[in-house]
Amino acid sequence: MLNKGQSEEELFAFLAQKRQEDLDHDFILSSMCTIPHSVAVRAHCLFMETNLGDPGLFPGSFSLEKLLVQRFGTLFHCKNAGGYATSGGTESNIQALRLAKAQCSGIVAPNVVVPESAHFSFKKACDMLGLEARPVPLGSDFRMDADAAAGLIDKNTICLVGIAGTTEYGMVDPIPALGKIAVQHDLFFHVDAAFGGMVIPFLDRPSPFDFAVGGVTTIAVDPHKMGMSTIPCGCILTRDPDLLNSLNIDTPYLTVKQEYTLAGTRPGAPVAGALAVLDYLGMEGMRAVVAGCMKNTERLIAGMETLGYQRAATPDLNVATFTCAKEAIPAPWRVSWTRKNHLRIVCMPHVHAGRVEAFLRAMQEQKKR
Amino acid sequence: MLNKGQSEEELFAFLAQKRQEDLDHDFILSSMCTIPHSVAVRAHCLFMETNLGDPGLFPGSFSLEKLLVQRFGTLFHCKNAGGYATSGGTESNIQALRLAKAQCSGIVAPNVVVPESAHFSFKKACDMLGLEARPVPLGSDFRMDADAAAGLIDKNTICLVGIAGTTEYGMVDPIPALGKIAVQHDLFFHVDAAFGGMVIPFLDRPSPFDFAVGGVTTIAVDPHKMGMSTIPCGCILTRDPDLLNSLNIDTPYLTVKQEYTLAGTRPGAPVAGALAVLDYLGMEGMRAVVAGCMKNTERLIAGMETLGYQRAATPDLNVATFTCAKEAIPAPWRVSWTRKNHLRIVCMPHVHAGRVEAFLRAMQEQKKR
């Protein structure tokens, strides 16, 4: 049994109070999500009712998803890339491994060669799909060791994974070297650029990580991270525009006859939001956002080192890590810790210059105590 | 490369035009989604920035998810049920089969006994998880044949699935009989109530389908269907409050140490929306919504039969099916067709009495042509 209904006033007083219990983004330094851009929110609200799981009912929304895939294809140097909007990096990574597995149906004990730095979603994916994950050690620079990766590949390997923007240290794996290895072994090569895919293309000196690199088969990118879209919005891109069809299953009673997505019902709203941000900011706007995040990351590293907290890595992207004791962090700031117990801060767009300075001041105050 | 940025005016003129290309819900008779309730949209907007994938940052939002699980637990006769908010029925069904598989790790060639009427998400789940799906034929009433199900169970069966509200014919499988079989064979028994879970409890004479039935292990229910919440919002419920922990994986660098969800980043917004609808309408409000949908379904069936289109089934829920030629449907109405080529109409809340009458008039006009 449910309760009796509540008045709207009573209900929203309660919900507003609950929302107050959530942390203020001003103090969130640990997240790869951020406050969505105002155009993302406005677009999201315009498409609130739409369901991409039944695209024949929502052809307008569906055309926005196609445009989003086109934008990423162009940005990632493969205009005709295939793809679709997922619920985020986890779904994109699962789907990449499903695709890899679908190409190698004869292999009895398939394995996947993934860097130790891989996001935990690869564990979920391997667990679900019955794949052995073979972890590749990192070099001293926290990047995957390509030679070590090559050494782990055998005839049962169905996929090689590289990370463009690791969750913990913000590093970009040596994608061109890995691409060569993938080509040599005729391997499916998935690049997890959930974080980096919306950072690297906008850097002054972008590391090669996308379809411009020979051998890259699929790329995951998350508009709901550095793309400043609303949650949930990820995207999987495939070099072969028809690759996803290998996951097709029949879908009676829909306006389409087959689908290859993981989810059935899928929101159009965050997809409209993601496209809105890309089209509103454009290349120059995204460059300015990313330049700001990188500048703040450098300032944070310099400031922390001045306070005596040495960097753990010199990151490729806007993730800063330090040798620092947990007690050194004053409330109410929320940071996170890597598996090697390094302090980790992600300089997302909401962590603007003023917040970096405020955090550094708070760290200095805390030191005096 | 992205384009140059666009003005917000230009961008939203484009987006509004695309939104216009989507079908008007007035003519959508084929969907199990509906126009979200106004309180769901308002709550969604209030929680737009929240991420349940990192609950320590959003304790207020997280408490709403716990409340949503509690509401469903109470409604489904198991106050202490475990669960979480998924992206929808597909994720809930995948997770149920993952849970079933996790309990039976020794079985080499596991199979799942599912009715022929099961949603196609079970195909995805079985494909991903390496499970054999054993289809159970339906009786002449379009309900799963419990005896046939029992006959398909063997020592490699890890899960029995029943449907409370089939997608095609709106039927409720004989859950009590299936529950007995599950108990006899000590089997994991999952009830897919993605559609029916928000209908059956509000009927005058509800069929038993939930934890009140002995043997039911897990239930899937979708607030973004008859719960009138925003997309994406599903929910998986477990009788054992700790069952989901068997899917836990380590999650370094988050505010929680482990997670059992399929997705990583998860929106809090639709969860707030789902809870808002339940708490605003309450038991009486939901009963009124469901009574309206059932009345419209009956009126539609009576009206169609008067026009000479016989019902294919007498549904348990608000799904009406007919023997009818495809040419009989006038534009711009959007209906769907079952695998047996029956016309299928879902009387969702947006298909109110006025729309049913308008459709019947249009069908009559079409007949005269």
Side-chain angles (χ1 to χ4, degrees), chain A residues 92-216:
Chain A
S92 303
N93 291 335
I94 292 171
Q95 292 288 80
L97 295 195
R98 279 183 79 195
L99 285 167
K101 199 179 167 190
Q103 321 309 310
C104 311
S105 54
I107 297 178
V108 178
N111 69 66
V112 182
V113 172
V114 290
E116 273 181 359
S117 53
H119 185 259
F120 53 79
S121 54
F122 287 97
K123 268 197 192 157
K124 287 185 197 175
C126 287
D127 168 52
M128 293 175 71
L129 302 172
L131 302 170
E132 176 202 345
R134 298 198 165 174
V136 185
L138 309 185
S140 57
D141 59 357
F142 294 96
R143 294 190 188 91
M144 181 180 185
D145 182 329
D147 292 334
L152 288 167
I153 294 168
D154 66 16
K155 65 178 182 359
N156 293 328
T157 302
I158 63 159
C159 186
L160 175 65
V161 174
I163 316 290
T166 59
T167 313
E168 289 191 309
Y169 294 93
M171 306 308 294
V172 180
D173 282 334
I175 305 298
L178 295 167
K180 270 186 198 157
I181 294 170
V183 171
Q184 276 164 13
H185 293 79
D186 195 21
L187 262 185
F188 192 108
F189 179 28
H190 174 60
V191 175
D192 178 0
F195 185 69
M198 286 295 282
V199 182
I200 302 168
F202 310 112
L203 293 171
D204 290 338
R205 287 181 299 278
S207 323
F209 80 104
D210 62 17
F211 294 120
V213 177
V216 171

Side-chain angles (χ1 to χ4, degrees), chain B residues 48-108:
Chain B
M48 189 71 90
E49 305 166 9
T50 63
N51 172 16
L52 293 172
D54 208 353
L57 300 181
F58 301 99
S61 302
F62 185 54
S63 71
L64 298 187
E65 183 178 23
K66 291 277 157 217
L67 276 178
L68 183 67
V69 169
Q70 263 181 41
R71 295 279 186 279
F72 279 121
T74 307
L75 189 67
F76 295 165
H77 301 98
C78 180
K79 275 191 183 172
N80 299 316
Y84 79 94
T86 66
S87 57
T90 298
E91 179 176 342
S92 303
N93 290 336
I94 292 172
Q95 291 289 81
L97 295 196
R98 281 183 79 194
L99 284 167
K101 199 180 167 189
Q103 322 308 311
C104 311
S105 54
I107 296 178
V108 179

Side-chain angles (χ1 to χ4, degrees), chain A residues 309-333:
Chain A
Y309 303 112
Q310 295 306 308
R311 74 185 75 184
T314 298
D316 295 323
L317 309 178
N318 44 324
V319 179
T321 48
F322 304 94
T323 301
C324 177
K326 295 200 176 174
E327 305 75 54
I329 310 300
W333 296 89

